[in-house]
Amino acid sequence: MASITTAAEAVARIAYLSSDAILSVQPALSTHSEFSKHLHSYSSSRLPGLVAKEVPEVIAIRHNVDPLLSAFKPLRSGKLVSVTTSSSILLPSIPHLYKLAQYPIVLHVALHPLNSADYSEITAIRQSGFVFLHSETLQEAQDIALSAHALAIRLGKGVIHFFDPANSARDHPIEAEDRDLVRKILDLDSVRAAQLRKDESTSLYVDDGRRATVTEETAQSPTEGSIESGSAKAAPRDIATEKSSTEGASSVGSSVRESSADSRQTTSSATSVGSMITRPVTSDDIYDCITSIWAQIARATGRTYRVFEYTGPEDAESALFIFGSTGLFVDELGEANSTDEFANFGLVTARLYRPWIGSRLSQLLPVSIRRIAVLEQIRKKTTKWGPVLLDILTSLRSGPAANASPLIVGHQLVYIEPATVRQAIRGIFQNLSSPTPIQNLEVGSSERPQQSSSQYALTQPKVENAYMKILDQVFGERLHVANRLDAAHAGISATIAASPEFGFGSLLARHDHRRRFIGEVKTAAATHDFVTDIPQSWLSKWALSAEDAQKANVIAPDVISRLSNDGSRLASTLLESKSLFFKESQWLIGSDAWAYDLGNSGVHHVIASGANVNMLIIDSQPWSERAAADEARRKKDIGLYAMHFGNAYVASVAVYSSYTQVLEAMIEADEFEGPSVVVAYLPYNKEDDSPLTVLQETKKAVDLGYWPLYRWNPTKEENGEPNFSLDSERIKQELEEFLRRDNHLTQLMNRHPKFAANLSESYGTEIRALQKRKAKDAYNTLLESLYGAPLTILFASDNGNAESLAKRLGNRGKARGLKTMVMAMDDYPLEDLPTEENVVMLTSTAGQGEFPQNGRSFWDAVKDTTEIDLSQVKYAVFALGDSHYWPRKEDKIYYNKPGKDLDARIAFLGGKRLADVGLGDDQDPDSYQTGYAEWEPKLWQSLGVDNVEGLAEEPPPITNEDIKIESNFLRGTIAEGLADTSTGAISASDQQLTKFHGTYMQDDRDLRDERKAQGLEPAYAFMIRCRLNGGVATPSQWLQMDSISSSYGNETMKLTTRQTFQFHGVVKNKLKSAMRGINKALMTTIAACGDVNRNVMVSPLPTRSAFHRDVHQVSARISDHLLPSTTAYHEIWLKDNDSPDEKQTKVGGDAIVDKEPLYGPTYLPRKFKITIAVPPHNDTDVYAHDIGLIAIKDASGKRLEGFNVLVGGGMGVTHNNKKTYPRTGSMLGYFSASQIHLVCEKIMLVQRDHGDRKNRKHARLKYTIDDMGVDVFRSKVEDLLEDKFKELRPFEFKSNIDTFGWQKDEFGMNHFLMFIENGRVEDTPEFSMKTGLREIAKVHQGDFRLTPNQHLCLSGVPDAQLDTIKGLLKQYKLDNLHFSGLRLSSSACVAFPTCGLAMAESERYLPELITKLEACLEENGLRQDSIVMRMTGCPNGCARPWLAEVAFVGKAYGAYNMYLGGGYHGQRLNKLYRSSIGEEEILGIMKPLLRRYAVEREEGERFGDFVIRIGMVKATREGKDFHENVAEEESEGE
């Protein structure tokens, strides 16, 4: 059996077994208490308890957020609750203790500070109504913890079990508890009775009359009773009485004192059964119950306990009564020899501290006792006489024996070093034996040891530094935080100094001090005590502007300078307070602990005072159903609370939602004359959560209305402006309802105060249920008129395959006369499932064998239920998966796991199979259709509709080619979809067409689950991609793009691997405005996406401007030449169709006459990409595109002559589909620059006419070339050109990364290429990148060149402007290039949360992964080495991962395929090394490999070449070889 080494572990185990819910009070959510590390370990291991129906719930809660509030809700719902905590929470929680004492709750309290425990927290709450039990040793901690739970259950009474963890630190380990004994002591019948008692009360502080009661018979039959609360029977009054003090006494051990307890048998008398009465629990009930429990323990273990414990000689004349840590005294008394003056001392402690049963104390003491020294370990003594001393005096000096009572002398026990214990006992004895003993003698040293400082000291979580950094950035030296945690306040504890009350008082004093100082300055300005007259004029000038922050702070340095130069005595006196010349921005900073009732008074004082004080209150509570539902938490919305006063500026902000709004709010708060409250959101589950987790939680809260972004300025009304400004776009229409909520902005309390919080919790759930019901009923109504057997078809689908299959199955069922209904699983009301006759379920496989998103809730409900009977339901399941997706044998269980699990579960619930589960495999010749074709006939046969004659031929599925040809040259119904305000989405066909216009519809995947739970559609928004030829933009265009991203997008810009701007988060009603803004900047988005030629890329080439100009002009010519001709773009986005002058001209009915001379009505089979590289830099990845042009110089070496032409490059792949592969381009030959646009046209036309239009996975130019061969393809292009390709010109590439830093071109102009990690331009608290680039654009005279590696080049900076630009770069940290070579050579696609194709994180994760590798790089001398690392969230290859030396391609959330061996110049594809690995495996591979590379590489050998040379992977010769000879062969599927 496992051994237990600490009292906290013993207590945690008992609490876990004996509770439905355990509140684990911790210093911080990421910092364990003595108990929490054990509790969370049990919970994460899903260990069962004895009381909870399932696994006990462990709720972590910070110690400073009124933790006991969280106990009310589970207690009132009938749960048995325990709390594990330090003593630091007891005094602030006194208002709750009086009510909680009447519930069956157990508080296990570890007394702090450690090694110097203070028992005053216990004595301060002794009258709260709780039962108090004290344990001293490790074994006692286990037994008394169990006793506490048994007592609470039987009496329905609150129990506090307290102990000093240090007292038992040296005890020998004990065995873990005996579960059978625990079960017996708890009495599971009593447990179930206690769990049935629920409380409908809702008040927190008002006495609602609840009392713990017992019910007993007035006369009792001769059976052993038991005490229970509520309606349960109570035991007779004499359940147990204590044995004589001599019985069971034990000698004192070395460090453990064995307890003695009563074990007398219960007696009863034979009487007839009388009536039942209910009365409050009394002290006698508690005494009888606890002694009964201890008797049970004694019988089972031999360990005995009493309410008071006495050890020592029976003829002792002196005794120590210790209320504190006894360990050292026990050891010393046990080792005393007969010559020691204290050898005959007895030792008394209280096991049951409250209720105080004084009569038992007098019975316990030997009659020989003449003197008692009472030692109270109380640090905070507030009365002359100690509380325990008064208890003992009352017990021993009252009643008939009062005259014979012993002498009682009080002592205050403070910190005692082990080496001085003997001396302390001797001092106590001498004082006790004195004729005139000193009362309240202090024993020990009042100086606590340094190591005993509490781990519960306030600290600022690192994650909250974001707001502090913004304050520092905005206000700089002006910032003054009155309650800063690291400030020193003599004689004031850090906890008090951090409170709003203390900080407010400090600021008021500071205000008064400055006010006096202004008066002193005015007086000084009127005197002639300065050496010169200069200080006087400056002081007068300053005094006039002293209250104007802007003016005063500008003048202050000059005033200080003049005074410093003056040298007079008066000047020196004023300079002693020189900081007061500046008008500070004064702040109080707090947490959401200030939002609870017990922490809110200071906030109230600040707001009510009207003083000019700013408060920043950081709320860290993540949005969750549990938090929203707990009405007992009573967390105020401080923003709304402050707004009700009418005199305060209020802002609700979230730095991970809108950095700009945070800046605006802080500046406005500082400028506001009066109290300002900035409530800032920073949600985390633990203080060490990653920024990504905080970002995702923030987005959920803001999007769902839990945390609205707004600003309230009551003075604006005076200027005719609205007071309230809402800054969170998504909740404008919901604001009125949102403002009525109680949990976060008032609520529905007026109508239903009792159920207010529950309504808040279930609002979204009810809406969702209502939607399901309406959808189902609508289907039923539609089917009533049909004949035939019913067939309900449910699907779960991520990529649309299962959904399409379900709809097709539904149509086929109707054709066979069945009444079919097709729904997503999560849209189906589960309670209707038992009433169905025939059910078919189709599900694809997501992630590691998980259900798709629209089937997870259905599966969770089916998986967990045991209450539905499906014995009357016939069912069938078809699953879609990929047997090779998870290649390792141990991962084969993931293949079609959702379908298999669903089939097994429905059968377990009684369902009868119509057909065995069908398995569709993407590895089959026709993908999942192969297995489906075998499974569907079996289904029809079981339903008896397999031989139906006259079935109509099914229409073929609609393809992209159909959509294009029916779109009327890309018009479709886009205009109508944009005008539809009922949804944030557009139709599926229009989603395909808008790509041609440069925009994709997406939704925020961070919010999908939460919005679905709230009954809302996904958070639809659009990505806009610009067409920016060659990646060159003017400063004016940069400013306009910056403005568009802030006004219409998510306040960030993405510099893409296609060398252009990309905006995310543009909602539908802003889409047209954003498009117009882009075109107003003389840019466009047409053909930035879609089956057309896209943005033409060009090397930035900062060192050769003339050559760059030549290449850029060619790229512009190619781009313009291949641009689509349709006028649909202009009509939809740029025309004002409401204007009479802008009506469309239609000819021949409704058809708009249009043409596409190059593309035709169906455009190209797939997307088409062109890039230009200039040797020796392959920074555009020229081999990766449909057409790659390698620029060749003329004889002078300065100007462009022509191009070597590559064709057939492409990156898109489908995981585990070997028919798809990446490909590097093949050389066709050389052509002159003047004709190259025609060459590109003819190549595109061959692809247009010969590309595969039936299979989009095989439609790219790379497959066309491999199908027909390079020579045949070249000849077809030459036929159209009526000319031949010339012989290739020599060239050499040396790298495909960017060259960072300052460079000078041949004209003397300067260029700076800066690092933009993964192309994301945004402002963060740590880095104001977006702001810095905006400021540079305002003064820059050259242009901005975006690079294909997602970085940025400031081009054309003249020498005269160099210092200005360098100054701005330094100011905003944009000149920082001190990154590892690995980071500088990295690249990532967007992936989550906006890309609908992403399977894993990419942009948000790659920087974290590199950070975890950089220490290894440093250790091995590789920090400066360039290693090309790329990451994508899916295999479509946007960041061109297949050419990287090391690449990670997302396969599921947190899982990646790892590829090695790409060419450093971008000339060679890499190869699969490991499949489906997570971070731990990635680091386990990369770190040893980097060490090996550092040691074993040859001179000049690149990492990609190295891994091939040492045999880790084989070199990939061409695209068709990509899947061959991989390092990790895929195992066979099932």
Side-chain angles (χ1 to χ4, degrees), residues 704-976:
L704 296 172
Y706 174 76
W707 193 271
L709 306 183
Y710 63 81
R711 286 166 291 151
W712 167 273
N713 189 336
T715 63
K716 283 193 172 185
E717 194 172 21
E718 300 169 5
N719 303 323
E721 301 176 34
N723 291 348
F724 187 82
S725 173
L726 183 67
D727 298 316
S728 47
E729 174 69 24
R730 292 195 183 278
I731 63 161
K732 278 188 176 178
Q733 294 179 356
E734 304 165 38
L735 182 61
E736 184 176 349
E737 296 156 37
F738 171 73
L739 289 172
R740 285 198 283 272
R741 289 190 189 169
D742 184 327
N743 201 33
H744 235 331
L745 280 166
T746 42
Q747 237 265 51
L748 300 164
M749 276 199 124
N750 293 336
R751 212 158 30 132
H752 299 293
K754 185 176 180 180
F755 303 110
N758 290 331
L759 287 169
S760 172
E761 171 198 23
S762 60
Y763 177 73
T765 309
E766 290 175 3
I767 290 290
R768 187 71 182 144
L770 186 60
Q771 289 174 338
K772 290 181 182 182
R773 170 58 52 209
K774 285 186 175 180
K776 176 82 167 17
D777 291 347
Y779 261 118
N780 289 339
T781 302
L782 184 67
L783 297 175
E784 280 177 359
S785 59
L786 301 177
Y787 298 96
L791 177 63
T792 298
I793 301 170
L794 306 178
F795 65 84
S797 178
D798 264 347
N799 58 12
N801 288 337
E803 181 176 359
S804 298
L805 211 55
K807 291 178 179 177
R808 191 178 76 182
L809 181 66
N811 290 332
R812 290 180 175 180
K814 288 178 184 176
R816 285 169 164 75
L818 300 175
K819 294 190 290 187
T820 62
M821 177 178 68
V822 182
M823 299 181 75
M825 289 182 184
D826 280 1
D827 291 334
Y828 180 83
L830 185 64
E831 63 271 17
D832 285 0
L833 193 58
T835 66
E836 300 287 354
E837 185 175 333
N838 303 301
V839 180
V840 174
M841 288 162 277
L842 301 94
T843 178
S844 56
T845 306
Q848 290 184 301
E850 299 159 9
F851 266 78
Q853 207 151 17
N854 59 356
R856 288 177 189 170
S857 298
F858 178 86
W859 168 242
D860 288 343
V862 169
K863 176 184 64 177
D864 295 336
T865 186
T866 56
E867 298 176 359
I868 62 173
D869 177 10
L870 303 183
S871 58
Q872 303 303 311
V873 179
K874 299 174 184 176
Y875 78 97
V877 176
F878 185 80
L880 295 81
D882 185 336
S883 59
H884 285 194
Y885 197 81
W886 300 97
R888 294 180 296 195
K889 289 183 179 179
E890 62 267 27
D891 293 337
K892 282 301 173 183
I893 58 169
Y894 300 141
Y895 169 60
N896 273 325
K897 187 174 186 295
K900 294 175 181 176
D901 289 350
L902 184 60
D903 177 73
R905 186 62 183 171
I906 299 298
F908 175 80
L909 293 172
K912 298 178 176 61
R913 288 188 180 90
L914 289 165
D916 290 338
V917 60
L919 303 178
D921 189 351
D922 281 351
Q923 296 299 317
D924 286 341
D926 292 324
S927 187
Y928 59 85
Q929 298 285 3
T930 302
Y932 183 79
E934 298 174 358
W935 175 83
E936 186 183 311
K938 298 176 184 176
L939 174 66
W940 300 138
Q941 185 176 12
S942 295
L943 291 170
V945 292
D946 51 326
N947 295 317
V948 177
E949 297 181 359
L951 290 175
E953 188 174 340
E954 291 183 35
I958 297 174
T959 66
N960 280 63
E961 296 303 307
D962 298 324
I963 292 171
K964 285 185 283 187
I965 202 166
E966 294 295 330
S967 72
N968 192 11
F969 295 96
L970 307 182
R971 287 172 177 82
T973 58
I974 295 174
E976 292 81 355

Side-chain angles (χ1 to χ4, degrees), residues 1421-1476:
L1422 296 175
R1423 178 176 171 79
Q1424 304 304 323
D1425 288 70
S1426 172
I1427 299 174
V1428 179
M1429 176 183 283
R1430 294 175 181 170
M1431 177 177 283
T1432 57
C1434 77
N1436 287 295
C1438 291
R1440 302 186 286 277
W1442 316 116
L1443 294 172
E1445 293 180 287
V1446 55
F1448 301 99
V1449 179
K1451 202 164 185 189
Y1453 199 85
Y1456 298 84
N1457 281 0
M1458 181 178 183
Y1459 296 82
L1460 295 172
Y1464 182 73
H1465 306 153
Q1467 81 285 7
R1468 181 181 63 239
L1469 297 169
N1470 49 32
K1471 196 171 287 289
L1472 178 67
Y1473 177 66
R1474 288 290 182 268
S1475 178
S1476 310

